[in-house]
Amino acid sequence: MKRYLLFLMLIAGSCKFSGDYTPTRIEGEQLEITSAIKANDSLERFIEPYKTNIDREMEQVLAYVPYNLTKNDGELNTAIGNLMADALMELSAPVFKSRTGENIDIVLLNFGGIRSSITMGNVTTRTAFQVMPFENEIVVATLKGEAIRDMIHYLIDSGNAHPVAGIELQLEQDNSIKKVLIQGEPLQESATYNVATSDYLLQGGDNMVFFSKAQKVTNLDYKIRNLLIDYFKQEDTLTPVRDERFIRFK
């Protein structure tokens, strides 16, 4: 991966020490950062203790996984996606309950948000950063049943295994809906449902525009990555599997 340093120069036509100046032009130069650039020994010595401490924290073993987890092991749901959705449901629900007195009904994340596989062996803090490198936070959107219907059609049409929990969606071979259950009960158009997701998706990321119909939004002030770290710590051994939460009959 190439890295660049952008160097900008402001050339002022008139300048006073008071800060009152007007640039006459702005010039920029892109400098490629490569291995040909010599290391600064004094800077490296200054950074080294901080780097050592960060590396120690990142390599802390949190859990173990007995097999590889990838986001391409299933058509409509994957083991790693189910892991993330279930972790979100389990750890964010008590936070939401304590603040609102309500329950989380559904979890929805995005397929593209899974940025790395989890390889067989030790799961570390670095693993959580690799899987979720973004600063996304958990939000809970309250949606009417009709907006949930839009969400379901989005899941069907997207062609990706977006991680979900709390919902069971079965499709016929032609993609028509065979069954929809939310927390084990049929979807009701007039009911309201609390959907835990990321702040990125809430804002319409990945074309999830149905979140614009949210009646209210609760920010849990809990980063998804931090939640994964907490989940890994409590689980010891991770054994997620593909299941029937979202399937198509052949």
Side-chain angles (χ1 to χ4, degrees):
M1 176 184 296
K2 292 184 178 180
R3 293 178 172 83
Y4 297 92
L5 175 66
L6 184 63
F7 179 75
L8 295 177
M9 177 183 294
L10 297 180
I11 301 178
S14 62
C15 180
K16 299 178 181 179
F17 288 107
S18 64
D20 181 17
Y21 64 91
T22 303
T24 58
R25 70 178 188 274
I26 299 175
E27 296 181 351
E29 182 180 357
Q30 184 173 269
L31 304 177
E32 185 176 353
I33 299 175
T34 69
S35 58
I37 299 176
K38 293 182 179 180
N40 185 309
D41 291 340
S42 62
L43 185 59
E44 285 200 339
R45 286 194 299 272
F46 177 79
I47 293 174
E48 183 60 31
Y50 300 99
K51 179 180 181 300
T52 300
N53 185 59
I54 290 173
D55 286 342
R56 185 186 304 114
E57 291 292 328
M58 294 293 280
E59 295 308 321
Q60 181 182 359
V61 176
L62 308 178
Y64 178 82
V65 62
Y67 43 80
N68 293 330
L69 300 177
T70 75
K71 68 178 187 179
N72 298 311
D73 69 349
E75 180 186 9
L76 298 179
N77 76 87
T78 65
I80 192 172
N82 294 346
L83 166 72
M84 293 181 67
D86 290 345
L88 205 72
M89 178 68 82
E90 182 174 334
L91 296 191
S92 63
V95 179
F96 184 66
K97 181 78 170 180
S98 68
R99 296 188 183 182
T100 67
E102 301 177 15
N103 297 316
I104 292 176
D105 301 296
I106 302 170
V107 169
L108 172 61
L109 297 173
N110 61 320
F111 178 81
I114 306 173
R115 306 303 290 185
S116 174
S117 302
I118 300 178
T119 56
M120 180 178 68
N122 289 334
V123 177
T124 64
T125 303
R126 189 182 302 278
T127 306
F129 275 80
Q130 291 169 338
V131 173
M132 176 52 67
F134 311 114
E135 297 299 307
N136 295 143
E137 294 194 345
I138 304 160
V139 294
V140 180
T142 301
L143 300 174
K144 291 281 287 186
E146 59 187 38
I148 298 298
R149 182 73 63 179
D150 293 341
M151 183 191 82
I152 290 168
H153 285 293
Y154 172 89
L155 290 172
I156 295 171
D157 295 339
S158 72
N160 289 321
H162 296 295
V164 296
I167 185 170
E168 183 180 351
L169 177 57
Q170 296 181 359
L171 306 179
E172 300 285 9
Q173 191 171 359
D174 63 358
N175 270 2
S176 60
I177 297 173
K178 178 181 177 66
K179 181 172 71 171
V180 175
L181 297 177
I182 298 175
Q183 294 296 326
E185 299 293 333
L187 171 66
Q188 298 181 32
E189 299 281 342
S190 60
T192 57
Y193 298 92
N194 293 316
V195 183
T197 188
S198 73
D199 52 357
Y200 166 73
L201 298 180
L202 177 73
Q203 296 165 6
D206 273 13
N207 279 327
M208 295 193 186
V209 296
F210 47 84
F211 280 121
S212 65
K213 298 180 179 180
Q215 295 183 325
K216 66 177 180 179
V217 174
T218 304
N219 192 325
L220 300 189
D221 303 311
Y222 199 176
K223 293 187 187 302
I224 295 177
R225 181 177 58 242
N226 292 348
L227 181 143
L228 290 177
I229 291 172
D230 292 341
Y231 185 79
F232 293 160
K233 286 179 179 178
Q234 76 171 29
E235 290 301 305
D236 184 69
T237 301
L238 307 174
T239 56
V241 296
R242 286 175 289 149
D243 55 28
E244 296 188 348
R245 69 187 66 189
F246 186 12
I247 60 172
R248 179 187 297 110
F249 289 95
K250 301 297 185 181

